[in-house]
Amino acid sequence: AVDESELLTVPDGWKEPAFTREDNPKGLLEESSFATLFPKYREAYLKECWPLVQKALGEHYVNAALDLIEGSMTVTTTKKTFDPYAIIRARDLIKLLARSVPFEQAVRILQDDVACDIIKIGTLVRKRDTFIKRRGRLLGPKGSTLKALELLTNCYIMVQGNTVSALGPFSGLKEVRKVVLDTMKNIHPIYNIKTLMIKRELAKDPVLRSQSWERFLPKFKRKNLKKRKEPKKKNTKKEYTPFPPPQPESQIDKELASGEYFLKERQKKRKRVEEIKAKQADALKKRQEERNKAFIPPKEKPAVKTKKASTEKKIDIEAIKEKVKNAKKKKLGALPVEEVKLKMAADEKKKKKK
């Protein structure tokens, strides 16, 4: 009986056996090809290293062509090509070379345990200034952040223009993509680097390998420092109704409702006079109250009892007299007695030395 947990785990140092001609002796039926364009500034470098590219791809029986007029690189399979995945690796190689990855690093893609990932970051941020700042944050001061990320993920990372090219193992590429995308979403890469460092230490412990690492990993809360100020006057939308608003009442309608419309002219005049007199009476009353406020006496504060001077402390007259006598004896600008003694002692020492 074999334990199921042992079957699920991959032994340390285990590698997939290499794909040889014996696995596919008849070769490929169809010819496959891939082409990619490269920028003008890469022309000189590609021209210089192209013989090395052809030599590296020739080992896998893949042809490579460089067209300087069109500015493109093409890779095609031959009759001798036996590995069907070799053309995919060759395609990735020319893509990396076009994205400013040096040949020494890009040629590693032809190995079985190495993969690549080209992350497009140009369209993730709207403003150009913000994009440049966040891309610079990914690099760090003197490239320190990028170097730390390379050491933790075992990947080679190249930040160029609007793309980030990564080259390394699959597990490392997954982490690199996460860090790059988080950085473009305004999450500082140092948080992800801290998490990767903790994971690296936890992976060394064989007991914790099969356990959940959630309790060990730090949880960073996003702080919104700048909050949008709410306006003082909030415009609340009224509920939509298909019916129009009611028509405002005219003066005749108001008079009809109060019954004033049916009164005679003399009665109307009397009513207006009464209203004016009532308003005048109210205004007079308010004015009288304002005048009377000046004649209202203010409230007096309660009188505070003064404490009697304490006669407990007696003045020592004799001591004061003694101080006055000592002061009279001293001359103006004269030194105190103790300082005079110290000065005399110092002079005597100097005389003895001489």
Side-chain angles (χ1 to χ4, degrees):
V2 182
D3 190 13
E4 286 184 7
S5 61
E6 287 181 11
L7 292 170
L8 294 170
T9 55
V10 179
D12 293 331
W14 181 83
K15 277 188 177 183
E16 185 77 25
F19 194 86
T20 58
R21 185 170 281 282
E22 292 170 7
D23 297 314
N24 186 17
K26 292 182 180 180
L28 306 174
L29 292 169
E30 294 289 334
E31 186 186 276
S32 302
S33 66
F34 287 103
T36 185
L37 298 169
F38 60 86
K40 185 74 176 173
Y41 62 85
R42 289 291 289 167
E43 190 178 312
Y45 181 79
L46 290 170
K47 202 174 179 181
E48 193 181 322
C49 73
W50 198 249
L52 297 169
V53 175
Q54 285 178 323
K55 189 185 176 183
L57 292 172
E59 291 173 7
H60 296 270
Y61 303 102
V62 176
N63 286 337
L66 178 68
D67 191 347
L68 297 173
I69 297 161
E70 288 184 3
S72 66
M73 293 179 280
T74 314
V75 285
T76 52
T77 56
T78 59
K79 289 179 180 179
K80 289 183 179 180
T81 310
F82 61 87
D83 187 0
Y85 201 73
I87 189 67
I88 303 294
R89 290 205 186 106
R91 179 202 65 182
D92 292 340
L93 174 64
I94 58 172
K95 270 189 181 179
L96 291 167
L97 289 168
R99 293 312 314 146
S100 298
V101 177
F103 171 75
E104 292 78 14
Q105 292 291 339
V107 79
R108 286 171 54 212
I109 196 70
L110 300 173
Q111 297 171 18
D112 287 337
D113 56 343
V114 179
C116 76
D117 190 10
I118 295 167
I119 308 153
K120 291 178 182 178
I121 57 171
T123 55
L124 297 174
V125 185
R126 281 185 183 180
K127 291 181 182 177
R128 185 69 185 169
D129 295 339
T130 313
F131 168 72
I132 291 160
K133 279 181 185 176
R134 289 181 188 176
R135 189 179 63 182
R137 198 182 289 169
L138 186 66
L139 292 165
K142 296 179 182 178
S144 57
T145 308
L146 198 69
K147 189 69 182 171
L149 200 61
E150 283 180 350
L151 291 168
L152 288 165
T153 56
N154 297 323
C155 293
Y156 173 80
I157 306 162
M158 181 73 186
V159 181
Q160 176 69 24
N162 294 334
T163 56
V164 177
S165 306
L167 189 78
F170 288 100
S171 57
L173 292 174
K174 191 180 175 184
E175 297 293 342
V176 170
R177 179 171 272 273
K178 186 182 178 296
V179 174
V180 170
L181 294 176
D182 282 354
T183 306
M184 289 294 127
K185 288 175 187 173
N186 202 19
I187 298 166
H188 204 281
I190 196 69
Y191 299 133
N192 287 310
I193 285 167
K194 280 183 182 178
T195 309
L196 287 170
M197 287 169 77
I198 293 161
K199 281 181 180 178
R200 196 178 189 180
E201 291 300 315
L202 291 167
K204 291 175 184 176
D205 194 346
V207 179
L208 294 168
R209 267 187 189 179
S210 58
Q211 294 179 13
S212 178
W213 293 349
E214 285 294 322
R215 56 202 171 108
F216 301 109
L217 299 175
K219 291 174 184 178
F220 301 105
K221 288 181 181 179
R222 193 171 177 180
K223 292 179 182 178
N224 293 328
L225 298 174
K226 287 183 180 179
K227 287 186 177 179
R228 185 178 169 272
K229 289 181 180 178
E230 291 184 358
K232 288 181 180 178
K233 290 180 181 178
K234 290 182 180 179
N235 297 326
T236 52
K237 285 186 177 180
K238 292 177 183 178
E239 289 183 10
Y240 172 75
T241 52
F243 307 106
Q247 200 172 358
E249 288 185 344
S250 65
Q251 189 66 29
I252 295 165
D253 291 336
K254 286 175 184 177
E255 285 178 2
L256 284 166
S258 62
E260 195 180 335
Y261 183 78
F262 303 103
L263 296 173
K264 290 176 183 178
E265 193 63 37
R266 196 187 294 171
Q267 288 172 329
K268 285 180 184 178
K269 200 174 183 181
R270 196 189 299 161
K271 196 177 182 182
R272 277 192 227 111
V273 170
E274 282 174 6
E275 283 175 2
I276 291 162
K277 281 182 179 179
K279 281 181 184 178
Q280 285 175 351
D282 287 339
L284 188 70
K285 195 179 179 182
K286 283 178 183 177
R287 213 179 299 124
Q288 200 66 35
E289 283 174 1
E290 288 291 328
R291 284 176 185 171
N292 290 338
K293 277 181 185 178
F295 299 103
I296 297 164
K299 289 182 180 179
E300 292 182 1
K301 291 178 181 179
V304 182
K305 291 180 180 180
T306 53
K307 291 180 181 179
K308 292 180 181 180
S310 57
T311 54
E312 291 176 5
K313 291 181 181 179
K314 292 179 180 179
I315 299 160
D316 195 356
I317 297 161
E318 294 296 325
I320 292 164
K321 283 180 180 180
E322 194 68 33
K323 280 182 181 179
V324 171
K325 279 181 184 179
N326 292 337
K328 281 180 179 179
K329 285 176 185 178
K330 282 182 182 178
K331 291 178 183 179
L332 286 167
L335 293 166
V337 181
E338 291 176 0
E339 286 186 19
V340 171
K341 286 178 182 179
L342 289 166
K343 201 172 184 183
M344 286 171 74
D347 289 339
E348 283 176 10
K349 282 181 181 176
K350 281 179 182 178
K351 284 176 183 178
K352 284 177 183 178
K353 283 177 182 177
K354 285 176 181 179

